[in-house]
Amino acid sequence: MTHTYPHIIVAKFGGTSVADFDAMSRSATLVLADKNVRLVVLSASAGVTNLLVELASGLESPVRLDKIATLRVLQYNIISRLKQPDAIGQEIDRLLDNISRLAEDAVDSPSAALCDELVSHGEMMSSLLFVEVLREREEVETQWFDARKVIRTDDTFGCALPAIDAIAEQAEKRLRPRIAQALIVTQGFIGSDAAGHTTTLGRGGSDYTASLLAEALNASRVDIWTDVAGIYTTDPRIVAQAKRIDTLSFSEAREMATLGAKVLHPATLLPAIRKNIPVFVGASNNASAGGTLVLRDALEPSRYRALAMRRQQTLLTLSSLDAQPTHRFLAETFGILSRHETAIDLVTTSETSIALILNSTGSTSGEADTLTTALLTELSSHCHVEIETGLALVSLIGNGLAKEAAVCKEVFAELETHAVRMICHGASNQSLCFLLPAASADSAVKALHRSLLE
C-alpha cells in the first residue's frame, strides 16, 4: 500500500545501538514509535568494523581464523534470539564466507579497494539482522535496501567523496517510491564508485550517510542514535561535571566535530546545512533522557560552549633553508603538500617557518599514513623538517572568540603550568585551539572546564 509522508525522518543507529539482540530490540522500539521514521541507516555492530579492518591488513592463519570465528559468534548471538533464524542464518553464512575469502586474498595482496569491500560486510550483516528484528514485531512492512545503489562516490577507497547530484537522482528514483510503501533499512558508511566497486566514506561515516540521504529526500529531521544522550560540554569520561547542551547551532556543532568531539562525524552537518535539516543526537539505550538538537541558529549562543580534544596529533615544523622570500617559501611548501595529497589541519606561520598539524582521521584502514617517504624526501630537499608526536589538540568552541576581549587571558591563565606547543586563534571566530603534550591534555581540559564552563 502506498502512502505519502510529507515529514520523513531518517534515523541512524551507531554500533552500540545494534551491538546485540537486546540493543537492536531497543532501537526497533524507537523506530516504530514514530511513523515518520521511514528510513533507517545502520552502522556495523560494535567491534565488527575493527575486526574487519584487522582482517583486511592480511592476517596469517590461525589469527585470521580466530577473528572470523569471533565475527561468527557476534552474529549468531543475535540470530539465536530470533523466532525464525534459519533463512537469515544462511544469508549471514554467505557473507561470512565472503569475509573469509577476502581476508585470505588480503594475505597476498592487501589494498584499499579490498579493505573497503571487506569492511562493508559489517553494515551488510547488521542491516539484514535488524530487518528480521523489525519484521518479528509485525507492526509495519519492512524492506532491506543496498545503500550502494544510491550512495555514489569517487574511487578514493578508504575515504571516498560522495557525488551529491548522483545521490539525489538515485534517491529520487530508487528510494522515494520504496519509502512510500515500506519502512526501509539500509547501511551507513558504504557506497559505490562509477565502476560499481564498493567504497567507504571513512570511519564514522554512517552519520554522513544518514545526512546525505536526508538531503536527497528533503527529510524533515535526522536522528543520530548513539550511546550518549546528546552532545556535552566536553567528554564526560574526562570531566564528570560535563553537561549536555540542549541546542547547538550548525556552525558550533561542526566546529566541535571537526576538532575532536566524536559524537558526530565532521562531514555530517554539511548536507544538513545545505537543506536546513535539524539533527537530533540521543542515546538509544535511554531515549527518555532527551538529547541535543542541532539547528541553523542556537537559541542561546554564549561565549564559551564546549571543549574538544583530539589525541595522537603530529606536529610538522618546516623551516626555510635559505633567505628566499616568504611568499615563495610558503607557495613551494604548500605545493609539495598538495602534490602528495597531504591532509593538513591547523597551520601557523612565521617569516621563515611553517608549523602544521597533520589530519590523520577518517580513513577506513585506520590512521592515515600521511608522512610517506616520498613526501619527506621532497620536503627535506626544500626545507628543514622536524616531526613531533605524542601531542594532543585541545580546542575551546564558542562564539565571537576572535573579537571578544579577555578570551586569551581567561584561557591561558589556566595553562600557565602547561607547555603549549602551538596556538591557532583568529582564523575562526568560533574556536581557539592549542597543542599540548598528550600527558597533560586531560588536566588542561579539566582546568578549563572548571573555569569557563561550570
Side-chain angles (χ1 to χ4, degrees):
M1 187 175 178
T2 301
H3 296 276
T4 301
Y5 292 93
H7 302 293
I8 294 171
I9 295 173
V10 178
K12 176 263 174 179
F13 292 88
T16 54
S17 301
V18 290
D20 52 34
F21 182 83
D22 292 330
M24 283 192 174
S25 295
R26 285 192 296 270
S27 297
T29 298
L30 279 174
V31 169
L32 296 171
D34 189 337
K35 63 178 174 45
N36 288 316
V37 175
R38 303 305 301 161
L39 180 61
V40 180
V41 176
L42 296 189
S43 297
S45 298
V48 167
T49 300
N50 287 340
L51 283 167
L52 293 170
V53 168
E54 288 182 71
L55 288 167
S57 68
L59 297 176
E60 296 283 355
S61 184
V63 178
R64 182 177 75 251
L65 297 177
D66 238 18
K67 302 284 184 190
I68 293 168
T70 302
L71 279 173
R72 187 177 296 276
V73 168
L74 286 170
Q75 306 312 308
Y76 269 87
N77 282 344
I78 299 170
I79 292 170
S80 65
R81 301 277 298 277
L82 294 168
K83 294 170 188 170
Q84 295 180 308
D86 292 345
I88 192 63
Q90 290 173 16
E91 187 65 20
I92 297 299
D93 282 345
R94 187 184 65 78
L95 291 173
L96 287 166
D97 288 343
N98 276 355
I99 290 168
S100 186
R101 176 180 55 79
L102 290 166
E104 206 168 324
D105 291 345
V107 177
D108 297 320
S109 51
S111 69
L114 186 148
C115 181
D116 277 6
E117 177 69 28
L118 205 163
V119 171
S120 70
H121 284 67
E123 278 70 17
M124 301 297 279
M125 292 190 293
S126 66
S127 57
L128 284 165
L129 291 168
F130 193 66
V131 166
E132 294 304 309
V133 171
L134 280 166
R135 282 177 177 164
E136 287 192 351
R137 303 290 184 94
E138 298 180 350
E139 292 182 35
V140 64
E141 169 71 17
T142 305
Q143 295 179 12
W144 182 87
F145 183 80
D146 189 337
R148 293 172 295 188
K149 292 179 178 178
V150 168
I151 300 296
R152 297 295 167 82
T153 73
D154 68 3
D155 60 359
T156 309
F157 298 105
C159 200
L161 290 173
I164 306 301
D165 291 342
I167 291 170
E169 181 185 338
Q170 294 303 317
E172 201 60 42
K173 177 182 173 183
R174 297 172 183 268
L175 260 184
R176 194 178 293 281
R178 284 173 172 259
I179 283 170
Q181 297 174 336
L183 171 63
I184 304 301
V185 175
T186 192
Q187 310 79 39
F189 178 56
I190 67 174
S192 64
D193 65 11
H197 300 127
T198 297
T199 58
T200 63
L201 300 177
R203 293 301 292 264
S206 292
D207 290 357
Y208 195 14
T209 301
S211 189
L212 286 165
L213 292 173
E215 176 186 30
L217 295 165
N218 286 307
S220 60
R221 197 174 74 226
V222 180
D223 290 347
I224 306 288
W225 294 103
T226 178
D227 55 358
V228 290
I231 301 172
Y232 282 68
T233 49
T234 196
D235 188 337
R237 292 169 297 185
I238 299 173
V239 180
Q241 292 78 18
K243 289 183 170 59
R244 186 178 68 222
I245 306 169
D246 291 331
T247 61
L248 275 172
S249 67
F250 283 140
S251 57
E252 289 171 332
R254 188 181 173 203
E255 200 89 6
M256 288 177 69
T258 302
L259 293 168
K262 293 183 178 179
V263 179
L264 286 176
H265 182 280
T268 299
L269 294 168
L270 294 175
I273 291 167
R274 289 193 291 261
K275 288 286 183 74
N276 190 23
I277 302 169
V279 177
F280 174 80
V281 181
S284 62
N285 60 357
N286 190 14
S288 61
T292 298
L293 189 62
V294 185
L295 306 156
R296 175 171 286 171
D297 300 304
L299 300 180
E300 296 179 7
S302 54
R303 180 190 287 190
Y304 303 132
R305 294 289 263 170
L307 287 157
M309 188 188 348
R310 281 205 323 236
R311 302 184 192 274
Q312 296 179 317
Q313 300 296 286
T314 299
L315 176 64
L316 203 60
T317 305
L318 310 172
S319 305
S320 177
L321 294 173
D322 49 41
Q324 62 179 304
T326 303
H327 65 273
R328 187 178 301 159
F329 171 64
L330 292 172
E332 290 180 7
T333 302
F334 283 108
I336 293 169
L337 294 167
S338 176
R339 280 196 295 280
H340 291 270
E341 297 184 346
T342 307
I344 59 176
D345 205 350
L346 302 177
V347 179
T348 62
T349 67
S350 71
E351 286 190 12
T352 58
S353 64
I354 304 168
L356 54 89
I357 301 172
L358 297 177
N359 186 352
S360 60
T361 60
S363 178
T364 297
S365 53
E367 288 297 309
D369 186 14
T370 47
L371 278 176
T372 62
T373 303
L375 169 63
L376 289 174
T377 300
E378 189 169 358
L379 281 174
S380 297
S381 68
H382 164 69
C383 57
H384 174 71
V385 180
E386 182 182 342
I387 302 166
E388 193 174 344
T389 57
L391 300 167
L393 180 72
V394 176
S395 302
L396 174 65
I397 292 93
N399 294 281
L401 298 186
K403 298 175 182 176
E404 292 277 354
V407 169
C408 289
K409 178 184 176 183
E410 290 175 2
V411 170
F412 292 106
E414 298 298 327
L415 300 175
E416 59 182 353
T417 61
H418 296 269
V420 180
R421 291 292 297 110
M422 176 181 176
I423 300 169
C424 286
H425 186 44
S428 167
N429 207 26
Q430 290 194 287
S431 63
L432 190 167
C433 311
F434 40 92
L435 210 54
L436 301 172
S440 64
D442 280 17
S443 65
V445 169
K446 288 175 183 175
L448 286 166
H449 194 277
R450 185 170 54 247
S451 169
L452 304 177
L453 294 166
E454 289 177 26

